[in-house]
Amino acid sequence: MNGDSDMTLAFELEALKALASPERVFEDARGWTEYIGVVSEKPTYVVTNFTRKNRVRQDFFSGPRGKEESLEGVKDQFDTDRYVYIGASEEDEELADAVDWEYLAVEDAAEAADWILATHADEDDDEAEQVRDDWP
């Protein structure tokens, strides 16, 4: 990103799922953010199951609220200079504008932070399997 550590970073759940290693992404982002969490329209247990499975330790999550209410609540609760919302759709970008958060598409965030997208990890796995096709 730009090295500014006085930032609150929120991932839309689908954007986080698009990354090959959510745990590593959160570990990396903790080095340059104050607060980090996940927002989603999905039920709380869906977010909780995903974050537990991927060992993601978050400072906040949407809970039973929708994304808009969650982002507004996070902004009220955590006082930082910047609020960045990493999303995966045009609707996410529109939401960020509506609640006055900076928007960053997950692909752009991954490129800027050297995170691996899940699709790229899958491609790497396919290449490894292709090498094994030559085995007796």
Side-chain angles (χ1 to χ4, degrees), residues 75-130:
K75 200 168 189 180
D76 289 341
Q77 186 176 0
F78 299 104
D79 185 28
T80 55
D81 290 340
R82 295 177 64 202
Y83 299 87
V84 178
Y85 179 50
I86 297 179
S89 69
E90 191 173 303
E91 291 80 16
D92 290 336
E93 185 171 8
E94 291 168 2
L95 173 60
D97 288 340
V99 295
D100 199 30
W101 280 61
E102 295 174 45
Y103 177 77
L104 194 56
V106 66
E107 298 85 2
D108 295 337
E111 183 177 333
D114 289 327
W115 298 332
I116 299 170
L117 292 170
T119 54
H120 292 150
D122 292 343
E123 289 169 7
D124 291 344
D125 290 344
D126 290 344
E127 288 175 16
E129 287 180 25
Q130 289 173 359

Side-chain angles (χ1 to χ4, degrees), residues 5 7-9 27 36 43-47 50-51 55 57 59 62 66 69 75 83 85-86 88-89 96 104 108 136:
S5 65
M7 174 182 6
T8 299
L9 184 64
E27 288 173 4
I36 185 171
T44 302
Y45 75 89
V46 173
V47 177
F50 180 82
T51 56
R55 292 175 281 190
R57 186 177 52 88
D59 298 316
S62 51
E69 187 179 350
K75 200 168 189 180
Y83 299 87
Y85 179 50
I86 297 179
S89 69
L104 194 56
D108 295 337

Side-chain angles (χ1 to χ4, degrees), residues 10-17 26 37-51 58 60-72 74 85-89 92 95:
F11 281 88
E12 204 288 328
L13 180 60
E14 294 306 313
L16 193 56
K17 287 180 176 182
F26 264 59
V38 180
V39 296
S40 176
E41 295 288 342
K42 303 274 187 198
T44 302
Y45 75 89
V46 173
V47 177
T48 302
N49 286 345
F50 180 82
T51 56
Q58 53 189 338
F60 59 86
F61 66 97
S62 51
R65 301 174 295 178
K67 293 188 281 190
E68 182 172 355
E69 187 179 350
S70 295
L71 291 174
E72 289 171 342
V74 166
Y85 179 50
I86 297 179
S89 69
D92 290 336
L95 173 60

Side-chain angles (χ1 to χ4, degrees), residues 16 19-30 50-51 53-57:
L16 193 56
L19 297 164
S21 179
E23 179 185 11
R24 286 192 201 136
V25 167
F26 264 59
E27 288 173 4
D28 177 50
R30 285 202 178 278
F50 180 82
T51 56
K53 177 183 170 189
N54 289 283
R55 292 175 281 190
V56 169
R57 186 177 52 88

